[in-house]
Amino acid sequence: MNFFQTEQLSNEYKKEIFQIWNTEYPEKITFQTLEKFEEYLSKLEKANHYIIQDKRNKIIAWAVDFIRDNENWFAIIVDQKEQGEGLGKKLLLELQKHNIELNGWVIDHDKDLKRNGEKYLSPLGFYLNHNFEILPDIRLENEILSAVKINWKEKKA
């Protein structure tokens, strides 16, 4: 396994992350084309990408931290075939090592479907187990997404 951080994604990395995104996230938030995904990535301010590759150098997990509205935000995706192996935790610990605060949108229900027809299972419990707090009064509600904001702050010694 290969783990590294980069500020720039190669075209091949973008293609691989695009595939994982469209496979693992609910169909409603997938991208129709690689160009639309690249457009999304280009809008992430001060993005740092964290990549885990398998022994064939294929991306199996990805995280990104970035600035949005003067706050530190993040996203994580782990290939379904690799879930339960600690890769999400590894990425999250790395994000926490490089940030003093993180914010994210998390789908907090199991009503959405992935492209393959499987239910998208909310990762909210995972984040709660890793010291995130739910901000229940801050929700993203629209025709595409229903999610709650979560927040993690570094504990002061």
Side-chain angles (χ1 to χ4, degrees), residues 13-63:
Y13 292 162
K14 288 176 188 175
K15 286 180 197 169
E16 291 182 36
I17 295 165
F18 168 74
Q19 289 296 329
I20 295 172
W21 182 295
N22 281 352
T23 301
E24 301 307 331
Y25 276 153
E27 185 171 17
K28 291 188 216 173
I29 61 170
T30 60
F31 292 93
Q32 295 305 312
T33 64
L34 180 59
E35 290 74 26
K36 292 284 186 191
F37 180 63
E38 289 173 329
E39 187 179 310
Y40 162 78
L41 290 173
S42 73
K43 293 177 182 173
L44 300 180
E45 190 179 328
K46 296 185 180 176
N48 292 299
H49 303 274
Y50 305 83
I51 294 174
I52 300 177
Q53 296 174 314
D54 65 13
K55 56 187 167 226
R56 297 179 326 254
N57 292 326
K58 184 174 178 342
I59 295 175
I60 55 175
W62 167 75

Coordinates of all heavy atoms in Angstrom, one line a residue, residues 13-63:
Y13 N -5.0 10.4 -11.7 CA -5.6 10.4 -10.3 C -7.0 10.9 -10.3 O -7.9 10.4 -9.7 CB -4.7 11.2 -9.3 CG -3.4 10.7 -9.0 CD1 -2.4 11.5 -8.5 CD2 -3.1 9.3 -9.3 CE1 -1.1 11.0 -8.2 CE2 -1.8 8.8 -9.0 CZ -0.8 9.7 -8.4 OH 0.4 9.1 -8.1
K14 N -7.2 12.0 -11.1 CA -8.6 12.6 -11.2 C -9.6 11.5 -11.7 O -10.7 11.4 -11.2 CB -8.6 13.8 -12.1 CG -7.9 15.0 -11.4 CD -7.9 16.2 -12.4 CE -7.1 17.3 -11.9 NZ -6.9 18.4 -12.9
K15 N -9.1 10.8 -12.7 CA -10.0 9.8 -13.3 C -10.3 8.7 -12.3 O -11.5 8.3 -12.2 CB -9.3 9.1 -14.5 CG -9.3 10.0 -15.8 CD -8.6 9.2 -16.9 CE -8.2 10.1 -18.0 NZ -7.3 9.5 -18.9
E16 N -9.3 8.3 -11.5 CA -9.6 7.2 -10.6 C -10.5 7.7 -9.4 O -11.4 7.0 -9.0 CB -8.2 6.7 -10.0 CG -7.4 5.9 -11.1 CD -6.1 5.4 -10.5 OE1 -6.1 5.0 -9.3 OE2 -5.1 5.4 -11.3
I17 N -10.3 8.9 -8.9 CA -11.1 9.4 -7.9 C -12.5 9.7 -8.4 O -13.5 9.4 -7.7 CB -10.5 10.7 -7.3 CG1 -9.1 10.4 -6.6 CG2 -11.4 11.4 -6.3 CD1 -8.3 11.7 -6.4
F18 N -12.6 10.2 -9.6 CA -14.0 10.3 -10.2 C -14.7 9.0 -10.2 O -15.9 9.0 -9.9 CB -13.7 10.9 -11.6 CG -14.9 10.9 -12.6 CD1 -15.9 11.8 -12.4 CD2 -15.0 10.0 -13.6 CE1 -17.0 11.8 -13.3 CE2 -16.1 10.0 -14.5 CZ -17.1 10.9 -14.3
Q19 N -14.0 7.9 -10.6 CA -14.7 6.6 -10.6 C -15.1 6.2 -9.2 O -16.3 5.7 -9.0 CB -13.7 5.6 -11.2 CG -13.5 5.7 -12.6 CD -14.7 5.5 -13.5 OE1 -15.6 4.7 -13.1 NE2 -14.8 6.2 -14.6
I20 N -14.3 6.4 -8.2 CA -14.7 6.0 -6.8 C -15.8 6.9 -6.4 O -16.8 6.4 -5.8 CB -13.5 6.1 -5.9 CG1 -12.4 5.1 -6.2 CG2 -13.9 5.9 -4.4 CD1 -11.1 5.3 -5.5
W21 N -15.7 8.2 -6.6 CA -16.8 9.1 -6.2 C -18.2 8.6 -6.8 O -19.1 8.5 -6.1 CB -16.5 10.5 -6.7 CG -17.5 11.6 -6.4 CD1 -18.8 11.7 -6.8 CD2 -17.2 12.7 -5.6 NE1 -19.4 12.8 -6.3 CE2 -18.4 13.4 -5.5 CE3 -16.1 13.2 -4.9 CZ2 -18.6 14.6 -4.8 CZ3 -16.2 14.4 -4.2 CH2 -17.4 15.1 -4.1
N22 N -18.2 8.3 -8.1 CA -19.4 8.0 -8.7 C -19.9 6.6 -8.3 O -21.1 6.3 -8.5 CB -19.3 8.1 -10.2 CG -19.4 9.5 -10.7 OD1 -19.7 10.4 -10.0 ND2 -19.1 9.7 -12.0
T23 N -19.0 5.7 -7.8 CA -19.4 4.4 -7.4 C -19.9 4.4 -5.9 O -20.9 3.8 -5.6 CB -18.2 3.4 -7.5 OG1 -17.8 3.4 -8.9 CG2 -18.6 2.0 -7.0
E24 N -19.2 5.2 -5.1 CA -19.5 5.1 -3.6 C -20.5 6.2 -3.1 O -21.1 5.9 -2.1 CB -18.2 5.3 -2.9 CG -17.2 4.2 -3.2 CD -17.7 2.8 -3.1 OE1 -18.7 2.5 -2.2 OE2 -17.3 1.9 -3.8
Y25 N -20.6 7.3 -3.7 CA -21.5 8.3 -3.2 C -22.9 8.1 -3.8 O -23.1 7.4 -4.8 CB -21.0 9.7 -3.6 CG -20.0 10.3 -2.6 CD1 -19.1 11.2 -3.0 CD2 -20.0 10.0 -1.3 CE1 -18.2 11.8 -2.2 CE2 -19.1 10.5 -0.4 CZ -18.2 11.4 -0.8 OH -17.3 12.0 0.0
P26 N -24.0 8.7 -3.2 CA -25.3 8.6 -3.7 C -25.4 9.1 -5.2 O -24.7 10.0 -5.5 CB -26.2 9.4 -2.8 CG -25.4 9.5 -1.5 CD -24.0 9.4 -1.9
E27 N -26.2 8.4 -6.0 CA -26.3 8.8 -7.4 C -26.6 10.3 -7.6 O -26.1 10.9 -8.5 CB -27.3 8.0 -8.1 CG -27.4 8.2 -9.6 CD -28.3 7.2 -10.3 OE1 -29.1 6.6 -9.7 OE2 -28.1 7.1 -11.5
K28 N -27.4 10.9 -6.7 CA -27.8 12.3 -6.8 C -26.6 13.2 -6.8 O -26.7 14.3 -7.3 CB -28.7 12.7 -5.7 CG -30.0 12.0 -5.7 CD -30.9 12.7 -4.6 CE -31.8 11.7 -4.0 NZ -32.5 12.3 -2.8
I29 N -25.5 12.8 -6.2 CA -24.3 13.7 -6.1 C -23.1 13.3 -6.9 O -22.0 13.7 -6.7 CB -23.9 14.0 -4.6 CG1 -23.4 12.8 -3.9 CG2 -25.0 14.8 -3.9 CD1 -22.8 13.0 -2.5
T30 N -23.4 12.4 -7.9 CA -22.3 12.0 -8.8 C -22.2 13.0 -9.9 O -23.0 13.9 -10.1 CB -22.6 10.6 -9.4 OG1 -23.8 10.7 -10.1 CG2 -22.7 9.5 -8.3
F31 N -21.1 12.9 -10.6 CA -20.8 13.8 -11.7 C -21.0 13.0 -13.0 O -20.5 11.9 -13.2 CB -19.3 14.3 -11.6 CG -19.1 15.2 -10.5 CD1 -18.6 14.7 -9.2 CD2 -19.3 16.6 -10.6 CE1 -18.4 15.6 -8.2 CE2 -19.1 17.4 -9.5 CZ -18.7 16.9 -8.3
Q32 N -21.7 13.7 -14.0 CA -21.9 13.1 -15.3 C -20.7 12.9 -16.1 O -20.6 12.0 -16.9 CB -23.0 13.9 -16.0 CG -24.4 13.9 -15.3 CD -24.9 12.5 -15.0 OE1 -24.9 11.6 -15.9 NE2 -25.3 12.2 -13.8
T33 N -19.7 13.8 -16.0 CA -18.5 13.8 -16.8 C -17.3 14.1 -15.9 O -17.4 14.7 -14.9 CB -18.6 14.8 -17.9 OG1 -18.6 16.1 -17.3 CG2 -19.8 14.6 -18.8
L34 N -16.2 13.6 -16.4 CA -14.9 13.9 -15.7 C -14.7 15.4 -15.7 O -14.2 16.0 -14.7 CB -13.8 13.2 -16.4 CG -12.4 13.4 -15.9 CD1 -12.3 13.0 -14.4 CD2 -11.3 12.7 -16.7
E35 N -15.1 16.1 -16.7 CA -14.9 17.6 -16.8 C -15.7 18.3 -15.7 O -15.2 19.2 -15.1 CB -15.4 18.1 -18.1 CG -14.5 17.8 -19.3 CD -14.6 16.3 -19.7 OE1 -15.7 15.7 -19.5 OE2 -13.6 15.8 -20.3
K36 N -16.9 17.8 -15.4 CA -17.7 18.4 -14.3 C -17.0 18.1 -12.9 O -17.0 19.0 -12.0 CB -19.1 17.8 -14.2 CG -20.0 18.2 -15.4 CD -20.4 19.6 -15.2 CE -21.4 20.0 -16.4 NZ -21.6 21.4 -16.4
F37 N -16.4 16.9 -12.8 CA -15.7 16.6 -11.5 C -14.4 17.5 -11.4 O -14.2 18.1 -10.4 CB -15.3 15.1 -11.5 CG -14.5 14.7 -10.3 CD1 -15.1 14.8 -9.0 CD2 -13.2 14.3 -10.4 CE1 -14.4 14.4 -7.9 CE2 -12.5 13.9 -9.3 CZ -13.1 14.0 -8.0
E38 N -13.7 17.7 -12.5 CA -12.6 18.6 -12.5 C -13.0 20.0 -12.2 O -12.2 20.7 -11.5 CB -11.8 18.5 -13.9 CG -11.1 17.2 -14.1 CD -10.6 17.1 -15.5 OE1 -11.1 17.6 -16.5 OE2 -9.5 16.4 -15.6
E39 N -14.1 20.4 -12.7 CA -14.6 21.8 -12.3 C -14.9 21.9 -10.8 O -14.5 22.9 -10.2 CB -15.9 22.0 -13.1 CG -16.5 23.4 -13.0 CD -17.8 23.5 -13.9 OE1 -17.8 23.1 -15.0 OE2 -18.8 24.0 -13.3
Y40 N -15.5 20.9 -10.2 CA -15.7 20.8 -8.8 C -14.3 21.0 -8.1 O -14.2 21.8 -7.2 CB -16.4 19.5 -8.4 CG -16.3 19.2 -6.9 CD1 -17.0 19.9 -5.9 CD2 -15.4 18.3 -6.5 CE1 -16.9 19.6 -4.6 CE2 -15.2 18.0 -5.1 CZ -16.0 18.6 -4.2 OH -15.9 18.3 -2.8
L41 N -13.4 20.2 -8.5 CA -12.0 20.2 -7.8 C -11.4 21.6 -7.9 O -10.7 22.0 -7.0 CB -11.1 19.1 -8.4 CG -11.5 17.7 -8.1 CD1 -10.5 16.7 -8.9 CD2 -11.3 17.4 -6.6
S42 N -11.5 22.2 -9.1 CA -10.9 23.5 -9.3 C -11.4 24.6 -8.4 O -10.7 25.6 -8.2 CB -11.0 23.9 -10.8 OG -12.3 24.3 -11.1
K43 N -12.6 24.4 -7.9 CA -13.2 25.4 -7.0 C -12.8 25.2 -5.5 O -13.1 26.0 -4.7 CB -14.7 25.4 -7.1 CG -15.2 25.8 -8.5 CD -16.7 25.7 -8.6 CE -17.1 26.1 -10.0 NZ -18.5 25.9 -10.2
L44 N -12.0 24.1 -5.2 CA -11.6 23.9 -3.8 C -10.4 24.8 -3.5 O -9.4 24.6 -4.2 CB -11.3 22.4 -3.6 CG -12.4 21.4 -3.9 CD1 -11.9 20.0 -3.6 CD2 -13.6 21.7 -3.0
E45 N -10.5 25.6 -2.6 CA -9.5 26.6 -2.2 C -8.5 25.9 -1.3 O -8.8 25.3 -0.3 CB -10.1 27.8 -1.6 CG -9.2 29.0 -1.4 CD -9.9 30.1 -0.7 OE1 -11.1 30.3 -0.9 OE2 -9.3 30.8 0.1
K46 N -7.2 26.1 -1.7 CA -6.1 25.5 -0.9 C -6.2 24.0 -0.6 O -6.1 23.6 0.6 CB -5.9 26.3 0.4 CG -5.5 27.8 0.2 CD -5.2 28.5 1.5 CE -4.8 29.9 1.2 NZ -4.6 30.7 2.3
A47 N -6.5 23.3 -1.6 CA -6.8 21.8 -1.4 C -5.5 21.0 -1.2 O -4.5 21.3 -1.9 CB -7.5 21.3 -2.7
N48 N -5.6 20.1 -0.3 CA -4.6 19.1 0.0 C -5.2 17.8 -0.2 O -6.2 17.5 0.5 CB -4.0 19.2 1.4 CG -3.2 20.5 1.6 OD1 -2.2 20.7 0.9 ND2 -3.7 21.4 2.5
H49 N -4.7 16.9 -1.0 CA -5.2 15.6 -1.3 C -4.4 14.5 -0.6 O -3.2 14.6 -0.6 CB -5.2 15.4 -2.8 CG -6.0 16.4 -3.6 ND1 -7.3 16.3 -3.8 CD2 -5.5 17.5 -4.2 CE1 -7.7 17.4 -4.5 NE2 -6.6 18.2 -4.7
Y50 N -5.1 13.6 -0.1 CA -4.4 12.4 0.6 C -4.9 11.2 -0.1 O -6.1 10.9 -0.2 CB -4.9 12.4 2.1 CG -4.6 13.7 2.8 CD1 -5.5 14.8 2.7 CD2 -3.4 13.9 3.6 CE1 -5.2 16.0 3.4 CE2 -3.2 15.1 4.2 CZ -4.1 16.1 4.1 OH -3.8 17.3 4.7
I51 N -3.9 10.4 -0.6 CA -4.3 9.3 -1.4 C -3.7 8.0 -0.9 O -2.5 8.0 -0.4 CB -3.7 9.5 -2.8 CG1 -4.5 10.7 -3.5 CG2 -3.8 8.3 -3.7 CD1 -3.9 11.2 -4.8
I52 N -4.5 6.9 -0.9 CA -4.0 5.6 -0.6 C -4.2 4.7 -1.9 O -5.3 4.7 -2.4 CB -4.8 5.0 0.6 CG1 -4.6 5.8 1.8 CG2 -4.2 3.5 0.8 CD1 -5.4 5.3 3.1
Q53 N -3.1 4.1 -2.3 CA -3.1 3.2 -3.4 C -2.9 1.8 -3.0 O -2.2 1.5 -2.0 CB -2.0 3.6 -4.4 CG -2.2 5.0 -5.0 CD -1.0 5.4 -5.9 OE1 0.2 5.2 -5.5 NE2 -1.2 5.9 -7.0
D54 N -3.4 0.9 -3.8 CA -3.1 -0.5 -3.5 C -1.7 -0.9 -4.1 O -1.0 -0.1 -4.6 CB -4.2 -1.4 -4.0 CG -4.4 -1.4 -5.6 OD1 -3.5 -0.9 -6.3 OD2 -5.4 -1.9 -6.1
K55 N -1.4 -2.2 -4.0 CA -0.1 -2.6 -4.5 C 0.1 -2.5 -6.0 O 1.2 -2.5 -6.5 CB 0.3 -4.0 -4.0 CG -0.7 -5.1 -4.4 CD -0.4 -6.4 -3.8 CE -1.6 -7.3 -3.9 NZ -1.9 -8.0 -2.7
R56 N -1.0 -2.3 -6.8 CA -0.9 -2.0 -8.2 C -0.9 -0.5 -8.5 O -1.1 -0.1 -9.7 CB -2.1 -2.7 -8.9 CG -2.1 -4.2 -8.8 CD -3.3 -4.8 -9.5 NE -4.5 -4.0 -9.4 CZ -5.6 -4.2 -8.6 NH1 -5.6 -5.2 -7.9 NH2 -6.6 -3.3 -8.6
N57 N -0.8 0.3 -7.5 CA -0.8 1.8 -7.6 C -2.2 2.3 -8.1 O -2.3 3.4 -8.7 CB 0.3 2.3 -8.4 CG 1.6 2.1 -7.8 OD1 1.7 2.1 -6.6 ND2 2.6 1.8 -8.6
K58 N -3.3 1.6 -7.8 CA -4.6 2.1 -8.1 C -5.2 2.7 -6.8 O -5.1 2.2 -5.7 CB -5.5 0.9 -8.5 CG -6.9 1.2 -8.9 CD -7.6 0.0 -9.4 CE -9.1 0.3 -9.8 NZ -9.8 1.4 -9.4
I59 N -5.8 3.9 -7.0 CA -6.3 4.6 -5.8 C -7.5 3.8 -5.2 O -8.4 3.4 -6.0 CB -6.8 6.0 -6.2 CG1 -5.5 6.8 -6.6 CG2 -7.5 6.7 -5.0 CD1 -5.8 8.2 -7.1
I60 N -7.4 3.6 -3.9 CA -8.5 2.9 -3.2 C -9.2 3.7 -2.1 O -10.2 3.4 -1.6 CB -8.0 1.5 -2.6 CG1 -6.8 1.7 -1.7 CG2 -7.7 0.5 -3.7 CD1 -6.3 0.5 -1.0
A61 N -8.5 4.9 -1.8 CA -9.1 5.8 -0.8 C -8.5 7.2 -1.1 O -7.3 7.3 -1.5 CB -8.8 5.3 0.6
W62 N -9.3 8.2 -0.9 CA -9.0 9.6 -1.1 C -9.6 10.5 -0.1 O -10.8 10.3 0.3 CB -9.4 10.0 -2.5 CG -9.3 11.4 -2.9 CD1 -8.2 12.2 -3.1 CD2 -10.4 12.3 -3.0 NE1 -8.6 13.5 -3.4 CE2 -9.9 13.6 -3.4 CE3 -11.8 12.2 -2.9 CZ2 -10.8 14.7 -3.6 CZ3 -12.6 13.3 -3.1 CH2 -12.1 14.5 -3.4
A63 N -8.9 11.5 0.3 CA -9.4 12.5 1.2 C -8.9 13.9 0.7 O -7.8 13.9 0.0 CB -9.0 12.3 2.6

